[in-house]
């Protein structure tokens, strides 16, 4: 069952819930939990659990581990290792305080290790002491190894899907090289693609038309005042700021202040983070790309790098589209004029 789940699962949360249930039943444990490890924060977060109190979950989740403890866990040997051996006295004491507070008298932990990397920890607990056989230990180790592999597979698949969606998005941007495309449809595809790649709540493209900025495409997970065709004077938009600073405007907490009138709209609609990216070509700003999220500090450095690359690509293709369209129009005029001369001759 565990091996099949490893091959077939695509959703991390469902997978971990299933594994916790399997462990709970197979090892006849009174409680079972899986914590996922965040390397950047050096902290665990509870992802799935059975038979534990909220107090236990929070106390265990608040425990940090040091770099030395992390290295000790990487050297884990299921035959001889124990939490007491790999953790400091202070960290182990915090864990046992949480364990005893949940009336768990027997507590066993197993790290989720893969490719010299810690993915998380599985813990099982019993309210009364019991003998854990060699077979139990081997089964627990097997499930832990399968869990680590399955988690890695899901992360790899997510990355592959992200790359695939990014390639599709670049294909849509490339379509701007043709004069026969429907700009509105292309911009809608791009806005939707950006939302999918970064899993954010809002993406839109506004193009400068005279003294106004017109939203050619808007993709929002919820109803928004800003829709396709929405028009604002340039003074009410971030355009002046973008021209002056020539870099993206990133706001990670709209509740503490807004820069532009569009920020007021996003804040009222429940968005907490917003980023505006100028679309420049040959030093001229053609418009701006907006991405917003309902989360605080939603944009990582990697997200911003992707968005900046996309904004440059969109601007370049928009300029290419403009030049191509103008040349095609002139070509059509010349052919028409030439035909008239031939007819007269």
């Amino acid at each position: 069952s565990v091996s099949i789940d490893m091959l077939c699962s695509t959703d991390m949360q469902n997978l971990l819930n299933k594994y916790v249930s399997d462990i709970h039943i197979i090892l006849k444990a009174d409680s079972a939990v899986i914590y996922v490890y965040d390397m950047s924060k050096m902290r665990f977060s509870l992802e799935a659990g059975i038979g534990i109190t909220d107090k236990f979950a929070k106390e265990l989740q608040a425990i940090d581990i040091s770099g030395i403890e992390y290295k000790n866990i990487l050297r884990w040997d299921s035959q001889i290792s124990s939490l007491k051996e790999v953790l400091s006295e202070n960290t182990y004491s915090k864990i046992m305080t949480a364990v005893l507070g949940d009336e768990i008298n027997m507590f066993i932990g197993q790290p989720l290790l893969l490719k010299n990397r810690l993915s998380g920890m599985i813990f099982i607990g019993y309210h009364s002491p019991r003998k854990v056989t060699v077979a139990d230990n081997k089964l627990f180790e097997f499930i832990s190894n399968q869990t680590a592999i399955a988690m890695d597979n899901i992360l790899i698949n997510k990355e592959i899907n992200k790359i695939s969606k990014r390639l599709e998005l670049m294909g849509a941007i490339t379509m701007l090289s043709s004069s026969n495309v429907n700009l509105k449809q292309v911009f809608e595809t791009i806005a939707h693609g950006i939302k999918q790649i970064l899993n954010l709540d809002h993406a839109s493209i506004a193009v400068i038309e005279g003294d106004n900025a017109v939203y050619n495409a808007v993709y929002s997970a919820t109803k928004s005042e800003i829709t396709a065709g929405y028009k604002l004077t340039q003074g009410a938009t971030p355009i002046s700021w973008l021209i002056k600073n020539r870099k993206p405007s990133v706001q990670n907490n709209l509740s503490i202040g807004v820069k532009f009138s569009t920020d007021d709209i996003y804040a009222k609609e429940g968005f907490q983070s917003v980023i505006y990216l100028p679309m420049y070509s040959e030093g001229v700003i053609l418009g701006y790309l907006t991405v917003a999220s309902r989360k605080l500090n939603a944009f990582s450095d990697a997200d911003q790098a992707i968005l900046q690359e996309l904004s440059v690509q969109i601007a370049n293709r928009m300029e290419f589209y403009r030049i191509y369209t103008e040349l095609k129009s002139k070509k059509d005029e010349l052919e028409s004029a030439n035909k008239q001369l031939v007819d007269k001759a």
Side-chain angles (χ1 to χ4, degrees):
S1 173
V2 168
S3 298
I4 290 169
D5 287 336
M6 180 194 77
L7 295 171
C8 301
S9 295
T10 56
D11 181 89
M12 184 76 78
Q13 192 62 60
N14 289 341
L15 173 82
L16 298 183
N17 286 337
K18 178 70 167 57
Y19 278 174
V20 158
S21 178
D22 286 344
I23 293 166
H24 183 248
I25 295 169
I26 295 167
L27 298 177
K28 298 177 182 177
D30 295 310
S31 60
V33 292
I34 295 180
Y35 283 85
V36 172
Y37 184 67
D38 186 335
M39 183 65 185
S40 62
K41 298 177 181 176
M42 298 188 76
R43 177 170 288 191
F44 292 95
S45 62
L46 176 68
E47 294 299 328
I50 292 177
I52 58 170
T53 62
D54 290 340
K55 183 174 180 291
F56 174 85
K58 289 177 182 177
E59 287 180 354
L60 212 59
Q61 191 163 284
I63 296 173
D64 300 327
I65 63 171
S66 66
I68 293 174
E69 289 171 317
Y70 181 85
K71 290 178 181 177
N72 288 340
I73 293 173
L74 292 182
R75 291 193 289 268
W76 184 278
D77 183 333
S78 297
Q79 304 301 317
I80 58 174
S81 295
S82 67
L83 289 175
K84 191 172 184 179
E85 292 174 336
V86 298
L87 300 176
S88 68
E89 186 177 337
N90 182 46
T91 303
Y92 185 73
S93 175
K94 288 179 180 178
I95 290 175
M96 293 314 298
T97 299
V99 167
L100 293 173
D102 228 35
E103 298 182 354
I104 297 172
N105 289 310
M106 187 171 180
F107 187 67
I108 306 169
Q110 179 77 32
L112 303 174
L113 296 172
L114 187 68
K115 299 175 184 175
N116 203 32
R117 187 180 78 248
L118 176 64
S119 300
M121 294 284 291
I122 296 182
F123 298 111
I124 57 173
Y126 299 91
H127 292 312
S128 57
R130 61 159 285 181
K131 183 180 180 181
V132 179
T133 66
V134 173
D136 288 339
N137 271 328
K138 286 185 176 180
L139 186 58
F140 191 29
E141 182 183 2
F142 171 78
I143 292 174
S144 300
N145 290 337
Q146 296 295 296
T147 303
I149 294 169
M151 289 169 65
D152 197 52
N153 284 346
I154 289 174
L155 293 174
I156 289 170
N157 284 331
K158 281 186 176 179
E159 195 60 34
I160 290 171
N161 287 335
K162 186 181 283 189
I163 292 170
S164 176
K165 288 174 181 176
R166 196 168 170 182
L167 289 172
E168 289 176 11
L169 182 56
M170 295 307 294
I173 293 173
T174 303
M175 287 175 65
L176 289 171
S177 301
S178 170
S179 65
N180 298 320
V181 300
N182 183 316
L183 274 183
K184 184 175 180 296
Q185 288 181 351
V186 174
F187 282 144
E188 284 177 351
T189 302
I190 293 170
H192 183 259
I194 290 170
K195 191 272 174 191
Q196 281 192 313
I197 290 173
L198 300 180
N199 194 28
L200 298 170
D201 301 302
H202 174 99
S204 59
I205 297 172
V207 177
I208 295 175
E209 294 183 9
D211 295 329
N212 300 314
V214 180
Y215 285 80
N216 278 271
V218 177
Y219 184 87
S220 192
T222 56
K223 189 176 180 181
S224 175
E225 180 182 334
I226 298 176
T227 57
Y230 191 82
K231 186 181 293 186
L232 285 169
T233 60
Q234 288 191 33
T237 70
I239 289 174
S240 296
W241 189 95
L242 294 172
I243 291 174
K244 180 181 178 181
N245 294 276
R246 301 186 72 82
K247 64 178 184 179
S249 169
V250 184
Q251 296 172 81
N252 284 312
N253 189 350
L254 290 176
S255 63
I256 62 174
V258 296
K259 286 183 181 179
F260 319 110
S261 63
T262 45
D263 292 344
D264 284 321
I265 297 172
Y266 291 125
K268 288 174 185 175
E269 293 176 353
F271 295 102
Q272 298 196 69
S273 304
V274 63
I275 178 171
Y276 301 97
L277 299 105
M279 298 190 301
Y280 274 105
S281 181
E282 302 293 331
V284 177
I285 188 168
L286 305 178
Y288 59 92
L289 172 65
T290 308
V291 180
S293 173
R294 295 185 179 280
K295 298 178 183 177
L296 290 170
N297 304 307
F299 310 109
S300 66
D301 290 342
D303 291 341
Q304 291 184 46
I306 290 172
L307 289 168
Q308 282 189 271
E309 178 191 341
L310 291 173
S311 65
V312 170
Q313 292 290 334
I314 294 168
N316 287 341
R317 292 296 176 176
M318 283 173 66
E319 181 64 9
F320 190 95
Y321 172 84
R322 184 190 66 78
I323 295 170
Y324 188 96
T325 303
E326 286 182 0
L327 289 174
K328 188 174 184 304
S329 177
K330 289 178 181 178
K331 176 176 174 290
D332 290 343
E333 288 176 8
L334 287 171
E335 287 180 347
S336 177
N338 185 59
K339 185 177 182 303
Q340 289 178 13
L341 287 173
V342 169
D343 290 343
K344 285 182 180 179

